[in-house]
Amino acid sequence: MRLFLCGGECEQQKPNVYKKLDEVIDNNKPILYIPLAMNPRNYSYDGCFDFIKEELANVNVPNIELVKSFEELESKNFDDYSVLYFDDGNEFRLLDGLKKTECFKKLSDYIDRDGVVFGFGAGSEVLGKSINTCTHSTTNEVDLKDLDGLDKINGFALLNHYIESDNMHLLTTSRYEKILVLPDEDTIYIDDGKYEVIGTKPFYIFDDRDFSVYNQKISRLNKFQGLKTPRELMDFMDQNVAYGWIDLDGGMYLNNLSNLEGNYKTKSISNTLNFGVGTCIEQAQLAKSFFDANGFENKLFCSRVQNQEDKNSMHCFVLFKNNNIWYHFEHSDRKRKGIHPYTSVDDALNDIVEDKNSEIIEIPDIPANFTFKEFNRFVDSCNRKGNVK
């Protein structure tokens, strides 16, 4: 999967964006230009084609081809092209046309075969989980009912051309799905789950009626050290820590664990706060650090499913005690996110771990700089709570 998600007008970043495009494509194949999100009654496809040929003049390909209808797009063999370039326009119109033809399935299969797609504005929003993100700002001119997108952005819906007045709609919509939000000038290139930001403006992740900011320097550590209550910690993590991980080269993976084996090491508290992302491992470590610093009795656990080939099937979480009541503090698991009271530790463990074949192991801490295999061996060395009955 290789996707370019362009947030909008990118005059300043254009040379960097198209340089990256030139680096990753097969330069022996042409580009297929697809302006079908635009209504031909309002825009000349030939005029748009003339513009894009000039726009992509420095991308080294034999030529650029234009399609003028979804039927023509359907007839194309996508593998004959170095990249499919979807231009901006109306998200509803584009998604409707893809779904009324075989283009939707063909495009999904092409992406899964590691095909390259460049989406500009609306052209990339259809790649997300849905286009509910744009219902407040774009006219549904085709009366499209099914707003589900291709869902190729690691479970994110996408909004481009971000402005601050979008916030109310995004906060409401984020109750149901995570949203990646890009302003003009920012482009994100995704290669097999790894996110590379081309641009200098901040981008955002909206989730569960809150949002976090990325691609700008934020002093998260000072804020973290000033927190006093579990609710303050939850609000802080909502606004500063997204689910994901950083590879050994500093590459960011958001909302996915692709390529974790061999490319991951557990992070220190300062590194987690510096990048603003963490798996359940780092997020549990962050929570325990807070409870330790603020005098809350707490316990750190790792649950793992036994006898499965999927070595990523584990979850780390924290229980803490306040006023003689035990609570489960959960941030990384979206379905269980919150601060949940229990009558006892055993009551909590039996409820939290749904797979009754799991083992639950209490661990004293989470050391930094461990590979995933090393962390598993560390968990093995700790005292086990035993299987959930």
Side-chain angles (χ1 to χ4, degrees):
M1 180 184 75
R2 291 177 290 168
L3 307 177
F4 285 82
L5 313 176
C6 184
E9 300 300 329
C10 57
E11 288 303 313
Q12 295 180 8
Q13 295 299 326
K14 188 187 304 180
N16 298 323
V17 172
Y18 291 140
K19 178 183 178 184
K20 184 67 179 183
L21 179 64
D22 189 52
E23 290 173 354
V24 304
I25 62 173
D26 183 343
N27 300 103
N28 296 310
K29 295 180 179 181
I31 292 172
L32 186 62
Y33 174 62
I34 306 160
L36 301 178
M38 291 180 269
N39 192 324
R41 290 177 295 180
N42 303 323
Y43 298 91
S44 165
Y45 287 168
D46 290 322
C48 294
F49 187 45
D50 290 338
F51 173 81
I52 207 67
K53 285 189 290 186
E54 189 174 317
E55 184 90 348
L56 299 175
N58 292 325
V59 179
N60 181 26
V61 290
N63 62 294
I64 302 173
E65 296 181 18
L66 164 71
V67 293
K68 294 184 176 182
S69 71
F70 288 100
E71 290 73 24
E72 185 181 3
L73 177 62
E74 184 180 30
S75 71
K76 297 290 186 179
N77 181 353
F78 294 170
D79 293 323
D80 290 341
Y81 298 93
S82 61
V83 57
L84 307 183
Y85 190 113
F86 286 86
D87 209 342
D88 206 352
N90 185 287
E91 296 88 341
F92 301 97
R93 175 183 175 81
L94 178 57
L95 187 58
D96 182 59
L98 292 173
K99 289 188 171 184
K100 283 182 175 176
T101 61
E102 288 297 312
C103 295
F104 190 86
K105 184 179 186 307
K106 285 186 62 175
L107 180 57
S108 178
D109 293 343
Y110 168 76
I111 293 171
D112 291 345
R113 292 195 303 273
D114 205 30
V116 184
V117 175
F118 190 106
F120 186 93
S124 61
E125 288 180 14
V126 298
L127 301 173
K129 188 172 183 179
S130 80
I131 60 169
N132 289 309
T133 52
C134 68
T135 55
H136 67 300
S137 58
T138 303
T139 302
N140 187 349
E141 60 184 39
V142 294
D143 196 28
L144 181 64
K145 304 299 184 186
D146 179 7
L147 303 187
D148 289 344
L150 285 149
D151 198 9
K152 300 299 182 182
I153 315 177
N154 306 117
F156 285 112
L158 177 66
L159 179 77
N160 292 313
H161 302 297
Y162 168 74
I163 55 177
E164 199 169 307
S165 60
D166 293 324
N167 283 358
M168 186 61 69
H169 175 74
L170 291 170
L171 289 168
T172 301
T173 306
S174 71
R175 294 174 59 192
Y176 311 104
E177 54 194 359
K178 291 186 177 183
I179 307 170
L180 184 64
V181 179
L182 300 180
D184 289 349
E185 288 292 342
D186 271 0
T187 296
I188 289 181
Y189 171 59
I190 306 177
D191 184 358
D192 195 19
K194 184 175 182 176
Y195 286 58
E196 178 181 342
V197 183
I198 307 171
T200 58
K201 288 190 175 183
F203 70 92
Y204 307 85
I205 294 175
F206 280 72
D207 183 21
D208 196 20
R209 294 166 287 187
D210 217 325
F211 66 92
S212 47
V213 186
Y214 295 88
N215 204 35
Q216 70 174 22
K217 291 184 178 180
I218 300 175
S219 181
R220 297 186 181 94
L221 181 58
N222 290 338
K223 293 180 180 179
F224 174 71
Q225 292 173 336
L227 303 175
K228 297 300 180 185
T229 70
R231 173 46 58 189
E232 288 177 352
L233 175 63
M234 182 64 71
D235 292 343
F236 170 84
M237 294 180 73
D238 282 346
Q239 296 164 15
N240 291 277
V241 184
Y243 187 81
W245 61 284
I246 304 298
D247 69 16
L248 301 181
D249 297 321
M252 179 183 290
Y253 291 72
L254 292 173
N255 214 35
N256 76 94
L257 297 176
S258 299
N259 303 311
L260 188 79
E261 298 285 346
N263 293 304
Y264 164 83
K265 286 189 175 182
T266 56
K267 295 293 183 286
S268 65
I269 295 291
S270 59
N271 274 333
T272 298
L273 292 173
N274 180 45
F275 288 104
V277 299
T279 66
C280 65
I281 297 172
E282 284 79 22
Q283 295 195 36
Q285 176 196 42
L286 191 66
K288 179 172 175 53
S289 174
F290 164 83
F291 293 123
D292 287 344
N294 287 279
F296 291 89
E297 183 181 350
N298 64 86
K299 293 177 178 289
L300 175 61
F301 295 96
C302 177
S303 68
R304 300 186 301 188
V305 177
Q306 296 175 308
N307 301 321
Q308 286 202 0
E309 295 180 1
D310 182 9
K311 297 179 181 179
N312 288 341
S313 187
M314 70 155 52
H315 183 62
C316 293
F317 60 93
V318 175
L319 303 182
F320 73 95
K321 193 175 186 180
N322 188 26
N323 294 327
N324 293 317
I325 298 175
W326 281 99
Y327 294 85
H328 173 210
F329 184 94
E330 182 60 64
H331 186 264
S332 63
D333 184 346
R334 194 176 195 271
K335 292 180 180 179
R336 284 187 170 270
K337 189 167 83 79
I339 303 172
H340 311 290
Y342 289 93
T343 57
S344 67
V345 170
D346 287 340
D347 180 37
L349 296 180
N350 277 283
D351 182 60
I352 293 166
V353 182
E354 296 178 351
D355 191 326
K356 301 311 176 184
N357 293 315
S358 294
E359 59 178 0
I360 305 172
I361 304 169
E362 184 174 357
I363 57 179
D365 58 13
I366 295 176
N369 229 24
F370 273 19
T371 66
F372 194 73
K373 287 183 178 179
E374 289 170 337
F375 180 67
N376 263 296
R377 286 198 292 267
F378 168 75
V379 173
D380 287 336
S381 71
C382 298
N383 292 326
R384 299 189 174 193
K385 292 293 290 184
N387 293 344
V388 177
K389 301 300 182 182

